[in-house]
Amino acid sequence: MADRPYTLLSCCMSLDGYLAGATRRRLLLSNDADVDRVDEVRAGCDAILVGAATVRKDNPRLLVRTPARRDARVARGLAPSPAKVTVTGGAELDPAAKFFSDGDVERLVYCASSAVGAARRRFGDRSTVVDGGEPVDLARMGGDLFDRGVRRLMVEGGGTVHTQFLTADLADELNLVIAPFFVGDHRARRFVDDGRFPFNPEHRARLAEVRQLGDVVLLRYALSPRFGTS
Ligand SMILES: NC(=O)c1ccc[n+]([C@@H]2O[C@H](COP(=O)([O-])OP(=O)(O)OC[C@H]3O[C@@H](n4cnc5c(N)ncnc54)[C@H](OP(=O)(O)O)[C@@H]3O)[C@@H](O)[C@H]2O)c1
């Protein structure tokens, strides 16, 4: 298998396992202390990946927020924020989305082969569109990111993307934050879909850290022998 970046999955979910509410309104799960922790983790990565649905629904900036952390990266010869990465089958992404417009960083779009032409026409002037297969093969994508110099990849959701990284055994670490309330609506997005996960009753993941941050709790799981090596 090709080398791939150390891959850290990160998300915040409700007590009943949802990443978002069932409506279009954005649901605030995290708190200020955890947003700051996530910012620190981002600053230590070479690239941040979200699925195309998260780009469409949340319109995230995916940048390091804190000036001191951006300055420290620049002092290390890096861009102020990690590269932004997304994955799409249909290339239905708005070229005006913050993914494309905010920050002076590299942007990579891994696109299903059948939509590469449309993707290049829509946002090829503001990102590098990579043919990722049909559908995009995440293992192949990891190899390509590694070849582009990405050694530490942070995956910030959503559930479709997390499910694939987990079931394909392509994750080294999971940072799962639990918000202290219920969503209580099965139409909302769950953390993961059904699937065959490498961690199950016969093979339990290793809980490496528990950290309270105000009213939320961070659970850090080691998912591979590479945990903590990068
Ligand atoms: N609480 C948190 O920490 C957190 C973090 C992030 C997101 N969220 C929430 O999660 C929800 C979105 O999650 P989601 O599961 O619906 O979507 P997602 O994982 O963000 O994105 C799914 C999309 O990514 C593309 N994709 C994924 N795997 C692919 C593959 N192998 N090949 C080609 N394309 C692929 C497809 O895009 P196309 O449809 O373009 O083909 C697919 O529809 C939102 O409600 C967001 O608010 C929560």
Side-chain angles (χ1 to χ4, degrees):
M1 197 180 100
D3 285 327
R4 61 167 179 82
Y6 183 92
T7 302
L8 182 159
L9 309 188
S10 171
C11 72
C12 185
M13 70 178 196
S14 64
L15 283 173
D16 49 350
Y18 291 105
L19 294 180
T23 64
R24 291 184 66 84
R25 227 183 66 220
R26 196 167 178 179
L27 179 71
L28 186 65
L29 287 149
S30 195
N31 62 19
D32 288 349
D34 188 53
V35 167
D36 187 58
R37 179 197 63 80
V38 169
D39 198 52
E40 188 174 10
V41 179
R42 278 184 179 177
C45 289
D46 301 311
I48 305 171
L49 181 149
V50 294
T54 296
V55 174
R56 286 191 289 268
K57 189 166 180 207
D58 294 353
N59 196 18
R61 301 181 70 214
L62 302 177
L63 299 173
V64 174
R65 296 161 190 246
T66 315
R69 291 185 182 126
R70 289 201 299 267
D71 292 348
R73 283 181 56 92
V74 172
R76 280 164 35 222
L78 303 172
S81 286
K84 302 187 199 183
V85 183
T86 192
V87 52
T88 180
E92 297 287 342
L93 290 167
D94 181 353
K98 290 175 185 166
F99 177 91
F100 295 110
S101 62
D102 284 22
D104 186 15
V105 298
E106 191 181 358
R107 298 173 179 82
L108 292 157
V109 180
Y110 287 85
C111 183
S113 307
S114 55
V116 163
R120 294 208 169 116
R121 282 192 298 280
R122 281 177 202 145
F123 38 77
D125 59 335
R126 51 202 74 190
S127 63
T128 302
V129 175
V130 183
D131 185 338
E134 190 75 48
V136 174
D137 178 335
L138 296 194
R140 180 167 132 189
M141 177 182 73
D144 187 74
L145 285 169
F146 190 89
D147 290 345
R148 292 173 190 271
V150 174
R151 296 290 177 269
R152 197 172 162 86
L153 172 68
M154 182 175 187
V155 178
E156 293 202 39
T160 308
V161 161
H162 283 321
T163 303
Q164 291 175 76
F165 274 95
L166 287 165
T167 55
D169 206 5
L170 291 171
D172 301 294
E173 175 172 344
L174 170 63
N175 291 181
L176 185 63
V177 170
I178 315 286
F181 60 85
F182 295 83
V183 168
D185 188 334
H186 71 275
R187 294 170 302 172
R189 189 64 185 85
R190 280 177 59 200
F191 165 38
V192 286
D193 296 312
D194 295 352
R196 285 173 66 88
F197 294 88
F199 299 96
N200 51 54
E202 285 73 47
H203 184 217
R204 295 159 74 104
R206 180 164 74 83
L207 179 61
E209 184 188 346
V210 177
R211 198 188 310 167
Q212 182 173 349
L213 294 144
D215 67 353
V216 306
V217 62
L218 164 69
L219 305 171
R220 272 184 87 205
Y221 291 95
L223 302 184
S224 87
R226 295 170 88 192
F227 175 83
T229 58
S230 164

